[in-house]
Amino acid sequence: MRKAPPILRTVSEGPLVRQARSAAGSVLDDPASRVFGRHGRRPEPEVINLALGSLRGVPGLRRLWRSAGEESSSLMLGLDHYPGTQGPHSLLEALAELWATERGATVAAENFVLTHGALDAVGHALATMPAGSPVLFAVPGFDYRLAIARARCRPVPLAWSPGSGLGAFIDVLSGALAKTERPAAIIACIPSNPGGIAASPAEWERLRELTRRHGSVLIVDDLYRFTSTALHYLDEPDFVVVDSLSKRLGAPGLRLGYAKATGARLAQIRASMGQTSVGVSSLVARVAERALRLYLGDPSIAAEIRGQLEERRQAVRDALPAGLRLGLQMTDIG
């Protein structure tokens, strides 16, 4: 990975990190840590913050976590047992309530599997595929290669110009599937990260038809669903939805996500998570459940997040010279 130009760099390495590199080579320089990790680094002054989808610093979420911390004395209860690999039922019930509130969908708590973040959920969804299966996803976009490699599948990136619209990507996807051996998996990041275009009902129907016709699995990376009011068609047997609670709650360090599925696919995801032997920490789950119930009880928080995302997009526009601004593809068009 090329080093980011100084104007985009927001972290710098401290002496401890440099010492660790000297003593252990590039042990800390894995892709996930380089992009997302902290490792004691201290931030430099920002010129332009392009991390639009990061919800850190949202006042409503700060208030939420202050309230969640008021019951910290009860959080240590039950830590004398190992956690299960599927997630505590009380938190899965809160997820069912979240879906009922945001999507108007009745989903049983048993249809959710708790994971170590959304990318982990993608990995468990792909683990239901035979080794070597092709996995199609759009580029530019989120890089799913880590999860694909872990599942021993084969990445098939599809070039797509985001400004061309979602219909154009479905055209590219249709052409690629016609030349791809079965079975294949498709990863669709809709709404696009962080909160761009959402699929119309007609586009969902096209995705559903493609999935059926080619015997594929559709994995919907749905982290920013709450920024869109568009309807989703997500109850197909071979649709898997992955989402992140820690991202939504402005606490990415929790590493907490989930997969939602049905039927045989759900059973396979459960089995994959069961093979890890490292279920989500009981402490993490309890903290998240408390925060999620506060979030559900105060709809103004989600509204504030949507407003903040729009303000951040506008701030980037305002910070750029007019000539550069004209050619800028912002996330609100994909």
Side-chain angles (χ1 to χ4, degrees), residues 11-303:
V11 293
S12 61
E13 295 180 356
L16 291 179
V17 174
R18 288 194 293 271
Q19 272 185 350
R21 288 191 189 280
S22 175
S26 59
V27 65
L28 296 181
D29 201 27
D30 61 278
S33 297
R34 186 164 61 244
V35 176
F36 300 111
R38 293 192 62 182
H39 294 303
R41 299 174 180 180
R42 291 179 294 182
E44 294 175 347
E46 291 179 349
V47 179
I48 301 176
N49 180 5
L50 297 184
L52 299 180
S54 168
L55 301 182
R56 294 186 295 274
V58 177
L61 290 175
R62 286 174 175 164
R63 292 192 299 272
L64 180 150
W65 284 110
R66 280 198 298 270
S67 298
E70 291 172 359
E71 296 187 3
S72 58
S73 60
S74 66
L75 294 178
M76 300 301 291
L77 297 177
L79 295 188
D80 52 343
H81 292 81
Y82 286 104
T85 59
Q86 311 297 308
H89 198 267
S90 58
L91 180 50
L92 302 183
E93 287 178 332
L95 289 175
E97 184 180 338
L98 180 68
W99 272 57
T101 300
E102 291 191 342
R103 306 166 190 261
T106 302
V107 181
E110 289 74 18
N111 286 104
F112 299 99
V113 179
L114 212 62
T115 62
H116 300 279
L119 189 59
D120 185 50
V122 171
H124 289 293
L126 291 176
T128 68
M129 306 292 294
S133 296
V135 181
L136 288 67
F137 59 100
V139 292
F142 189 85
D143 193 342
Y144 294 98
R145 286 179 177 85
L146 286 174
I148 294 170
R150 194 184 76 181
R152 299 183 179 179
C153 292
R154 176 167 58 85
V156 182
L158 302 178
W160 167 55
S161 174
S164 62
L166 186 61
F169 171 66
I170 298 177
D171 291 340
V172 172
L173 180 63
S174 179
L177 282 171
K179 304 173 185 177
T180 302
E181 66 272 21
R182 301 183 183 186
I186 304 161
I187 303 178
C189 188
I190 305 170
S192 62
N193 186 346
I197 54 176
S200 68
E203 288 166 336
W204 274 117
E205 188 59 40
R206 286 190 66 194
L207 282 169
R208 177 161 59 179
E209 173 58 26
L210 278 174
T211 301
R212 287 174 174 168
R213 189 188 331 145
H214 293 279
S216 302
V217 177
L218 180 63
I219 301 170
V220 182
D221 186 345
D222 212 32
L223 268 63
Y224 293 91
R225 168 64 181 85
F226 60 93
T227 67
S228 168
T229 57
L231 294 175
H232 278 197
Y233 296 82
L234 301 178
D235 292 325
E236 294 291 308
D238 281 318
F239 280 21
V240 179
V241 181
V242 303
D243 198 355
S244 168
L245 280 179
S246 46
K247 174 88 73 174
R248 171 193 297 262
L249 297 173
L254 276 179
R255 301 310 305 136
L256 185 60
Y258 66 86
K260 180 265 180 190
T262 59
R265 192 71 55 183
L266 171 64
Q268 292 169 332
I269 292 173
R270 286 193 175 281
S272 175
M273 190 65 193
Q275 291 173 358
T276 66
S277 81
V278 285
V280 171
S281 158
S282 301
L283 178 60
V284 167
R286 188 165 292 137
V287 169
E289 181 184 348
R290 169 64 178 157
L292 179 57
R293 293 203 175 278
L294 289 169
Y295 178 92
L296 286 167
D298 187 354
S300 70
I301 297 175

